[in-house]
Amino acid sequence: PTSRVLAGRHVLVTSGPTHEPIDPVRYIANRSSGAQGTAIAAALASLGARVTFVTGPASVPPPPGTNVVPVETAAQMLDAVRSAMPADAAIMAAAVADWRVVSSSVQKLKKGESGPPTLTLAQNPDILATVAGLGSDRPRLVVGFAAETENVVENARAKRLRKDCDWIVANDVSPSTGIMGGSENAVTLITPQGEETWERMTKEAVAARLAERIATVLS
Ligand code: C5P
């Protein structure tokens, strides 16, 4: 039995994809299953943390013993994250859609004689950067993820600085890795102190190791 080293701490975890509506029946999404975020929330809860789990429409069930806040869009996720503050740490594992459809249709779009519709997209808010920039309300530890398909560590390093988060968990989500939607992950943890590449392991094992590291900062 692990000791409850995170008892009394509040940790926010975002997870899953977001869905950005096109019309009442269609949306833009991505291939995130929510498996890694779910495993992280479960691992933090098992160390005794109070966990707020803000999740988009994931394909795995949310972890028991957490405070689950289901959302659909990036805008809703940002609202839920703001409402969850203050937190001692924020672990932003969600695969937030970068773009939303500017004016999604109230009615289902029809195949018409005018041909296919043109979707105009707008940039979604960056939830991680928003949390990292909170000032006095900023969680003590803000952890982002960088899912990349090329120059993984270089891109992740730049992302850590640009978003002003403390740590970045970088992973290669090229289809050949089987990581996105799969049961294993191979990550590099980037901190101000340095970089560690972990061997490929189950997403639960990555979560347990990350939760232990988070506990060393918060306890
Ligand atoms: O910029 P990119 O999407 O690659 O950054 C990934 C990291 O930023 C993840 O931690 C993700 O949860 C977070 N993110 C966010 N809000 C966005 C885009 C990404 O919180 N709109």
Side-chain angles (χ1 to χ4, degrees):
T2 44
S3 67
R4 296 176 65 82
V5 284
L6 288 176
R9 304 282 182 229
H10 177 217
V11 181
L12 165 76
V13 179
T14 70
S15 186
T18 65
H19 286 183
E20 307 297 330
I22 296 169
D23 71 14
V25 299
R26 303 183 179 97
Y27 54 82
I28 297 175
N30 61 65
R31 296 185 191 281
S32 169
S33 63
Q36 186 63 81
T38 299
I40 291 166
L44 290 164
S46 77
L47 294 181
R50 178 166 72 85
V51 177
T52 301
F53 185 67
V54 177
T55 178
S59 44
V60 299
T66 65
N67 178 17
V68 181
V69 184
V71 299
E72 190 171 337
T73 66
Q76 291 166 359
M77 185 172 279
L78 178 59
D79 282 348
V81 162
R82 284 188 186 282
S83 302
M85 294 291 122
D88 296 291
I91 318 303
M92 315 299 269
V96 182
D98 290 311
W99 308 289
R100 67 178 177 279
V101 177
V102 166
S103 36
S104 58
S105 176
V106 179
Q107 302 298 336
K108 184 184 170 191
L109 297 176
K110 296 286 190 196
K111 285 188 290 283
E113 273 135 38
S114 47
T118 300
L119 299 180
T120 304
L121 304 181
Q123 190 84 29
N124 269 332
D126 192 310
I127 303 166
L128 171 60
T130 303
V131 167
L134 277 178
S136 63
D137 248 5
R138 185 190 193 279
R140 194 140 45 101
L141 181 69
V142 178
V143 182
F145 282 69
E148 306 281 352
T149 57
E150 55 187 358
N151 304 324
V152 177
V153 173
E154 294 76 5
N155 285 335
R157 230 179 255 149
K159 196 162 288 181
R160 192 183 79 79
L161 299 174
R162 188 168 67 243
K163 301 201 185 205
D164 199 29
C165 55
D166 300 297
W167 298 354
I168 283 264
V169 181
N171 63 352
D172 187 340
V173 293
S174 301
S176 61
T177 65
I179 284 173
M180 206 144 188
S183 62
E184 293 185 337
N185 208 349
V187 308
T188 298
L189 176 64
I190 302 174
T191 75
Q193 286 76 42
E195 296 169 5
E196 297 168 23
T197 298
W198 297 353
E199 66 273 21
R200 189 174 172 125
M201 58 184 95
T202 64
K203 289 181 177 177
E204 286 72 21
V206 169
R209 205 148 149 180
L210 195 60
E212 292 286 350
R213 294 293 289 270
I214 292 165
T216 63
V217 174
L218 295 189
S219 57

